[in-house]
Structure formats: C-alpha cells, structure tokens
C-alpha cells in the first residue's frame, strides 16, 4: 500500500475537499497519470491516508519514476 502523509494545512484541505465531495468519484494522480480511482464515502479527517494496492514497493517506486 501507499501511505500519503500531509502537513496540518494539507490535512485540513483534504478534509474540506472530502466533505464537499461525499459520494462522488475522485482520481488520485501521480505525476499526471491516474494511479487510483475511488468514491469518497465520508470525511477524511486525518493528516494521512492509505491507498491499498497489490503492487510491490519496487513496482510503486518504478510507477512513480516513470509517470
């Protein structure tokens, strides 16, 4: 899995965004390429979140490098 950590300001922005987009689909982009898509089902109120993936750590690193 890929863990994203945000500073306090980023965490607040993520919370506000998630509250305004409940039940809407969003995409997570890495270097402009769609990495994941999901539907927001509730407020994200922490300064970190996790993207669950079946990719290995090495595959994730390669994906980030190449996209």
């Amino acid at each position: 899995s890929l863990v994203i950590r945000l500073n306090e300001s980023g965490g607040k922005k993520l919370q506000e965004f998630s509250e305004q987009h409940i039940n809407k689909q969003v995409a997570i982009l890495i270097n402009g390429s769609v990495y994941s898509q999901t539907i927001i089902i509730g407020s994200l109120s922490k300064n970190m979140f996790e993207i669950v993936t079946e990719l290995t750590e090495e595959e994730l690193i390669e994906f980030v490098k190449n996209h």
Side-chain angles (χ1 to χ4, degrees):
S1 63
L2 178 63
V3 176
I4 308 294
R5 290 192 174 95
L6 306 169
N7 62 23
E8 187 175 332
S9 173
K12 183 160 180 58
K13 288 177 183 177
L14 178 63
Q15 180 178 2
E16 291 170 358
F17 176 86
S18 65
E19 289 171 353
Q20 295 171 3
H21 294 86
I22 291 175
N23 295 321
K24 294 183 181 174
Q25 187 175 26
V26 296
I28 297 168
L29 305 175
I30 296 178
N31 296 329
S33 296
V34 175
Y35 175 77
S36 178
Q37 295 182 59
T38 190
I39 295 175
I40 297 176
I41 59 172
S43 176
L44 299 169
S45 60
K46 300 195 186 287
N47 290 353
M48 63 181 277
F49 62 96
E50 182 175 8
I51 302 169
V52 177
T53 179
E54 294 182 16
L55 296 177
T56 66
E57 183 177 350
E58 292 80 19
E59 290 170 329
L60 281 170
I61 291 168
E62 279 301 309
F63 179 86
V64 172
K65 285 181 183 177
N66 295 317
H67 291 87

